[in-house]
Amino acid sequence: MHQNFREIEREQFAIRNQTCEWTIRAMTALRAKVDINIKMHGDQDHLAQGDIFMFNHFARFETFIPQYLIALETGVFCRSIASGEFFVEDNRFSRYLRALGGVPNDYERLLPFLAEEILRGGKVVIFPEGGMVKDRRVLAAERPHPKRPDYSIYSRSADQRRAHHTGAALLGLCIDGFKIGLSMLLDKGKHDELDRWADAIDTTPETLKAALAKPTLMFPANITFHPLRVDQNLLARGADLFAGGLSPKMAEELIIEGNLLFKRTDMDIRLGDPVDPRHQFNWIDRRMLAHRVETANSIDDLFRPAKALEKIPDRITQYAISRHINPLRDHCMGVMYSNLTLNVSHLASRLIMMWLADGVTEVDIAHFDRTLYLAIKNVQQAEGIHLHRGMRNPADYIGIFDLKCPQIREYIDAAVHLGLIERSEGKYCFLPKLQEEATFDQIRMDNPVMVYANEMAPINAAWTALEKARDEVDHLTPRDFAKRRFDDEIRAWQWNRAKYQKPKYAAINDQETATADSRPYLLLPNGNEHFTTGVLVVHGFLASPAELRNLGDRLAARDYAVMGVRLAGHGTSPHELQKRPWGDWLASVRRGYEILSAFCENIIIVGFSTGGALSAILAADRPEKLAGLVMASTPLKFRNRNLMFVPLLYGANKLMGWVPSAQEMLSFRLNESEHPDINYRNIPIGGLHNLRQAVAEMQNRLPDVACPILILQGDGDQVVDPASATLIKRHATGCSHLDIQVLGSDRHGILNEDIDNAVNRVIDFVSKTAPANSTLTAAIPAQ
C-alpha cells in the first residue's frame, strides 16, 4: 500500500483523544442527570482482554454507550462501525464521529482497516444485526432448536428476513489466520517477515509480536432495557412542536428512546463468554495460512474473496477461512442472545402469547398471577438464565398475590392503555390487537408485549419454566406455594446481605460483631407437612432469627411446626435497618404467618421485645387460625431515657442527609448489647424512630386483640420498664384471657437465655392453648 494513502487514511480516521475525553466527561455528567440505570455485567477483565465486541441493537444510544463504558474501564477508545449515511458529507457531525473512532460501514477497506487497528492494540465495536431490531424478533422459527439455532432478523431496506452480518466473524477469523500464519513463519526462522508486516501494518515489530502471542477474543454482548414505556414524552412533544409534525418512524424513536432516557429504566449490558476464532482452524488450515501470509502483500489480501484470487493454493486457503464464517457468526449470535437479562415482562408476555396460541383469550387475574409467580420461581432454579434484579430480589415481586407488585401492575396498566388487554370482572381479556401485525417502526409503541415475547424467544430454559408453571399451577397445594414463599424469605436475606456489603457501607459494617446465623428458618419436624399447631417466632429490634432459635428448636422437638421470621432490615447490616420503615417489619411478620398457616390448623405467635409489639399488631387483625399470643419483654415504656431524644436526632438526620459525612455521624449510635453475636453493634437512629412508631401503633391496637395472651417480663429488665406488662394488660381490653408472669431477672433477653424457666413457660402456654400435634403429625407425608 502506498505510504501517502496510508497517511491520509490514518489522518482521516484518527481518534482524537481530546474529543473522546470531552465526550466521556459530557456523558458522565448526562448519566448523572438522566434516569437510566446502566449496569455492566460480567468479568471486568474481559473489557481489557477483548478485541471485538458485538452488541445487539435496539436503541440509538447503544451505538455510543458501549464505547463509553469500555473507555471508562480500560482507557482505550474503541473503533465502531456506523451507518455510511452519516459520513456522506464532510461536516461537523461526520468529523465528530470520526474523531470518536467511527468508521462508515460502506468504507471500501473497512475490515482490513479494523484488522490493522486491532493488531496495533485497538478495540472494535460491531453491531451484527445491522440496523435497529425494533421488534426484537431474531429467529426464523418461533422457538429455536437448542443445538441448531436458525437466527435471522427483519431487514427494513429489503423488506424481508435475513441472516445476521458476517463482518465480525470474518474479521476475527482473518486476524487469527494472520497471527497463526505469521507465527508459524517465525517458528521456521523467517524473522524478516515480522519486520515486513510491522511496516505494512504501520506498527513496531515489538507491538506486532505481542499481538501474535495474544488470542483475538470476540465478546458477544446483550443489551436489555426494562421497562419499555410508550408515554408521550417531553422530547417528542418538543420536537413535534418545532418540526410541525413528525414522521411515524421519528415519533416512535423519540417517544420510546426518550422514555428510556428520562424515565426510570434499567439498561443491562451483559458480556458473554469470550469466543476465540483460532479454535476453528485445523492443522491443515494452519499450514496453508503460513503460505498465504508469506505471499500476501498487505492485510487486504487476506480479506479478498476466494474467487478473486488467481492462484489455486491461495483460493484453497481462503476457503479454509470462509467456510468457518457462518458457524462462527451463528455461535456468536447464540452467545449474544443467550445473555439476555430476563425480566418479569418477558415472562408475562410470552405467557400471554402461549395462552393465545392455545386459543385462550381470557384468564382469571388470580390464575395469571399464580402462574407468573411459579414461572419466576422456576427460572430462579434454571441454569444458564441471567435474571433481572426484579426477579432476583423478592421485594420486587412478592406483592404479586395482593396486586401490589409494581413491575407487574405497570406492565398490565401499559397493556390496558394500549388496547392490548382489558380488565373485566376479575379477569384479563386478551384483545385482538395483541395478535395483529404491527409495522416494524411502530411495534415498540403499538405492541410492547410482542416485543418482549420476541426478545425472550431464544431462551429455551425460560420456555420450559413457563410450560412447567402452566402445567403445575392448578395442581400445587397451599403448602407447595408456602415452600416457595419461604424460599423468597431466604432469597431476600441473601439479597440484602450482598447489597449492604458494598465498600460504601464498610465503616459501619466493619464494627459489627454479629456472627450467628441470621437467616429465617422453617422447622417441620419429622418431615411432616400438616400440623395441628404451629408457632410463629418473632425476634426483637437489632437482632435476627438467631435470637430465638433455641426456643424454636425446643418447640420443634415437641412436634410443633415453627417459623422463625426475619424482620426486614435485620440480620444483614445496620444500613438496611436505617432505611426500613416499621411497616416493612410488620409485613415480614404477616408473610411468616401466611407461610406457616399453610402447614397448620392453629397458630400461636411468640414475639420478643419489638417482635412482641409487631405480633400484637398482627393479632389485632384477628387473622384466621390465630390461637394465642406470647409477648416477652415487650415495651410500652423504656428504661433508656435517651429515646426521648430520638425525634430530635431523626429530624437532624433528615435535615443533614445531603451532607454524607454529617449523616454518617448522626445516623448511628453504639449499642452495648447483651448478645453481641446476634445484635447489631450500631443502632440506626432511623430504626429507633420506627421503633417508637411501632410501639405507639401497638398501644392503639391492643384493644382489638381477642386471643389469649401470655406476658413474660423480667422484674429488673434494663431495657424495657417492667411496668410495661401491666400497661399492656390495661390496654388489651378485648382479650379473652391474659396472664402476666414476672420473672426474676435483670436481663432483657429472658427467652434467649432461658431465664427463670422462660422457654418452658412458653411451651406450657402453647400446649394448653392449642391442641397437641400427636394425632396429625404423620397424616401427610413429605412431598
Side-chain angles (χ1 to χ4, degrees):
M1 187 183 302
H2 296 299
Q3 184 70 23
N4 59 345
F5 174 80
R6 188 161 63 195
E7 290 175 355
I8 292 171
E9 182 183 61
R10 293 287 298 275
E11 176 63 26
Q12 181 183 14
F13 293 110
I15 295 178
R16 310 293 180 185
N17 285 358
Q18 186 175 3
T19 302
C20 292
E21 289 167 358
W22 175 87
T23 302
I24 286 177
R25 289 195 298 271
M27 289 185 62
T28 301
L30 178 64
R31 185 177 177 182
K33 298 294 183 183
V34 299
D35 213 7
I36 188 166
N37 178 28
I38 302 172
K39 284 190 178 294
M40 176 75 80
H41 304 273
D43 192 333
Q44 292 300 306
D45 290 342
H46 286 170
L47 293 178
Q49 296 167 359
D51 301 290
I52 301 171
F53 296 90
M54 307 163 67
F55 294 90
N56 59 335
H57 194 14
F58 185 64
R60 293 207 178 273
F61 45 88
E62 286 171 354
T63 56
F64 52 82
I65 286 182
Q67 295 94 305
Y68 162 70
L69 295 176
I70 292 171
L72 279 182
E73 182 66 27
T74 68
V76 176
F77 301 120
C78 296
R79 292 282 181 193
S80 63
I81 301 175
S83 175
E85 62 184 308
F86 297 128
F87 301 87
V88 172
E89 297 182 11
D90 184 21
N91 53 32
R92 182 176 296 178
F93 182 63
S94 65
R95 290 192 293 272
Y96 175 68
L97 289 181
R98 287 191 178 95
L100 289 180
V103 185
N105 62 351
D106 54 3
Y107 182 53
E108 59 182 351
R109 60 180 310 268
L110 172 65
L111 294 182
F113 176 75
L114 295 177
E116 293 173 345
E117 182 76 11
I118 291 172
L119 289 168
R120 289 192 291 263
K123 300 178 184 294
V124 173
V125 169
I126 297 177
F127 299 90
E129 293 172 338
M132 283 191 289
V133 184
K134 297 182 177 183
D135 60 1
R136 287 293 203 192
R137 191 174 184 187
V138 297
L139 295 172
E142 184 67 12
R143 181 175 181 180
H145 190 286
K147 295 183 179 179
R148 298 187 303 276
D150 181 18
Y151 294 114
S152 65
I153 57 172
Y154 171 72
S155 170
R156 182 170 52 208
S157 59
D159 193 25
Q160 64 182 11
R161 297 192 70 78
R162 62 163 173 79
H164 293 76
H165 294 320
T166 58
L170 178 58
L171 179 62
L173 286 166
C174 286
I175 292 173
D176 258 356
F178 170 79
K179 289 181 178 181
I180 290 170
L182 183 54
S183 295
M184 291 188 71
L185 293 175
L186 296 179
D187 290 342
K188 293 177 180 179
K190 298 183 179 183
H191 301 294
D192 290 346
E193 288 294 311
L194 182 66
D195 295 329
R196 179 173 78 89
W197 278 106
D199 182 64
I201 295 170
D202 196 17
T203 188
T204 66
E206 292 75 19
T207 299
L208 181 55
K209 192 170 183 179
L212 297 181
K214 177 185 178 299
T216 304
L217 295 183
M218 306 172 69
F219 281 93
N222 190 291
I223 301 177
T224 314
F225 292 98
H226 180 67
L228 299 180
R229 298 184 181 88
V230 294
D231 302 336
Q232 190 82 2
N233 57 58
L234 183 62
L235 188 64
R237 289 197 297 269
D240 188 58
L241 177 65
F242 288 104
L246 296 171
S247 67
K249 176 173 177 272
M250 183 60 70
E252 186 266 353
E253 290 179 1
L254 284 174
I255 290 172
I256 293 296
E257 297 180 27
N259 282 321
L260 292 178
L261 278 174
F262 299 116
K263 293 190 176 180
R264 179 68 179 179
T265 303
D266 290 331
M267 180 180 183
D268 288 279
I269 306 174
R270 194 174 295 277
L271 294 176
D273 292 332
V275 178
D276 187 350
R278 73 175 53 194
H279 296 316
Q280 305 287 325
F281 299 113
N282 58 38
W283 68 273
I284 298 177
D285 296 335
R286 292 168 182 265
R287 294 191 64 175
M288 290 190 295
L289 286 167
H291 172 76
R292 185 83 177 98
V293 170
E294 187 175 19
T295 58
N297 294 316
S298 70
I299 203 76
D300 300 60
D301 291 341
L302 300 181
F303 288 90
R304 300 191 195 284
K307 62 184 179 180
L309 300 174
E310 296 180 359
K311 298 179 180 180
I312 292 178
D314 291 343
R315 289 187 182 184
I316 294 174
T317 306
Q318 205 62 27
Y319 282 128
I321 293 176
S322 60
R323 77 171 187 271
H324 299 302
I325 292 175
N326 287 347
L328 180 60
R329 184 266 318 270
D330 293 342
H331 175 64
C332 288
M333 299 316 298
V335 174
M336 176 185 293
Y337 293 131
S338 68
N339 277 280
L340 170 79
T341 301
L342 190 77
N343 59 58
V344 71
S345 297
H346 290 128
L347 291 180
S349 297
R350 180 50 63 183
L351 181 61
I352 290 170
M353 303 314 295
M354 292 169 80
W355 272 319
L356 286 172
D358 292 341
V360 177
T361 58
E362 65 177 33
V363 298
D364 289 337
I365 292 176
H367 183 80
F368 179 94
D369 289 346
R370 284 163 60 90
T371 307
L372 187 56
Y373 173 76
L374 288 176
I376 292 171
K377 298 307 294 178
N378 289 342
V379 297
Q380 287 176 346
Q381 303 296 326
E383 295 183 358
I385 297 183
H386 305 291
L387 299 182
H388 181 267
R389 41 210 162 277
M391 290 200 293
R392 290 188 292 121
N393 178 13
D396 289 333
Y397 64 79
I398 55 176
I400 192 169
F401 295 108
D402 303 317
L403 301 181
K404 294 178 181 177
C405 178
Q407 54 182 339
I408 299 298
R409 301 282 74 82
E410 182 178 2
Y411 169 86
I412 294 295
D413 289 345
V416 170
H417 174 73
L418 292 170
L420 303 171
I421 294 175
E422 181 179 76
R423 294 189 191 93
S424 177
E425 298 179 351
K427 296 180 182 292
Y428 289 142
C429 302
F430 307 136
L431 302 180
K433 186 180 177 182
L434 270 170
Q435 293 179 291
E436 292 176 359
E437 288 291 330
T439 64
F440 183 75
D441 286 318
Q442 287 290 113
I443 189 168
R444 293 193 298 183
M445 284 182 58
D446 291 346
N447 194 350
V449 173
M450 182 64 76
V451 174
Y452 276 124
N454 288 343
E455 190 175 31
M456 195 211 86
I459 312 299
N460 273 282
W463 284 81
T464 301
L466 283 167
E467 289 164 347
K468 183 181 178 183
R470 293 182 65 197
D471 290 341
E472 65 188 2
V473 64
D474 292 326
H475 305 290
L476 296 183
T477 67
R479 292 188 295 277
D480 294 321
F481 277 92
K483 291 175 187 176
R484 288 162 173 79
R485 296 188 68 185
F486 177 69
D487 179 69
D488 290 333
E489 297 301 306
I490 297 293
R491 288 178 182 273
W493 170 76
Q494 293 171 333
W495 173 273
N496 286 294
R497 276 177 65 89
K499 177 180 179 180
Y500 289 97
Q501 290 304 310
K502 296 176 182 176
K504 64 181 178 180
Y505 303 119
I508 292 296
N509 288 343
D510 290 349
Q511 300 177 34
E512 292 302 307
T513 59
T515 56
D517 188 351
S518 58
R519 75 190 74 197
Y521 54 88
L522 177 63
L523 307 178
L524 302 176
N526 304 316
N528 296 309
E529 295 189 357
H530 189 187
F531 297 83
T532 306
T533 302
V535 182
L536 188 71
V537 179
V538 187
H539 66 80
F541 184 63
L542 303 179
S544 74
E547 183 172 51
L548 300 181
R549 182 59 191 258
N550 67 321
L551 170 64
D553 288 339
R554 298 234 338 236
L555 286 163
R558 291 176 174 261
D559 288 334
Y560 293 106
V562 182
M563 169 88 184
V565 171
R566 182 189 72 91
L567 301 179
H570 293 74
T572 54
S573 164
H575 280 281
E576 186 194 359
L577 184 54
Q578 179 75 292
K579 298 178 181 180
R580 290 286 193 175
W582 74 268
D584 287 354
W585 307 346
L586 181 61
S588 302
V589 181
R590 291 190 192 283
R591 290 195 305 273
Y593 189 92
E594 291 167 0
I595 291 168
L596 188 60
S597 292
F599 301 98
C600 308
E601 294 185 358
N602 303 279
I603 292 180
I604 291 175
I605 311 178
V606 178
F608 171 73
S609 192
T610 302
L614 297 168
S615 300
I617 296 171
L618 177 60
D621 293 335
R622 303 184 182 182
E624 185 181 1
K625 298 187 178 183
L626 180 63
L629 171 65
V630 177
M631 302 172 70
S633 304
T634 301
L636 260 184
K637 288 181 65 178
F638 291 93
R639 279 275 176 90
N640 189 344
R641 296 188 178 276
N642 288 332
L643 283 172
M644 295 174 58
F645 299 100
V646 166
L648 294 177
L649 287 171
Y650 183 75
N653 275 344
K654 300 289 282 187
L655 179 66
M656 300 291 287
W658 60 278
V659 185
S661 60
Q663 185 181 18
E664 188 76 7
M665 288 187 293
L666 291 171
S667 292
F668 298 94
R669 287 290 181 269
L670 285 179
N671 171 38
E672 297 302 328
S673 169
E674 291 179 346
H675 308 111
D677 62 322
I678 292 174
N679 292 88
Y680 288 149
R681 185 169 186 266
N682 290 275
I683 307 176
I685 298 303
L688 288 172
H689 175 73
N690 278 283
L691 171 60
R692 286 172 55 100
Q693 290 184 315
V695 170
E697 179 65 12
M698 175 193 67
Q699 182 173 333
N700 292 333
R701 296 300 310 278
L702 277 172
D704 298 323
V705 179
C707 66
I709 300 176
L710 169 64
I711 298 176
L712 300 178
Q713 179 61 57
D715 60 2
D717 193 326
Q718 299 299 302
V719 177
V720 171
D721 190 323
S724 293
T726 304
L727 292 173
I728 290 172
K729 181 177 182 179
R730 187 179 302 165
H731 285 87
T733 55
C735 178
S736 59
H737 176 77
L738 190 151
D739 180 25
I740 296 178
Q741 297 184 20
V742 178
L743 283 63
S745 173
D746 60 357
R747 305 277 286 176
H748 181 57
I750 53 176
L751 282 181
N752 175 274
E753 300 176 28
D754 193 14
I755 294 174
D756 198 3
N757 210 28
V759 170
N760 280 334
R761 293 171 189 260
V762 172
I763 293 174
D764 184 58
F765 174 80
V766 171
S767 64
K768 290 180 179 178
T769 305
N773 287 306
S774 57
T775 60
L776 286 171
T777 50
I780 297 181
Q783 296 182 357

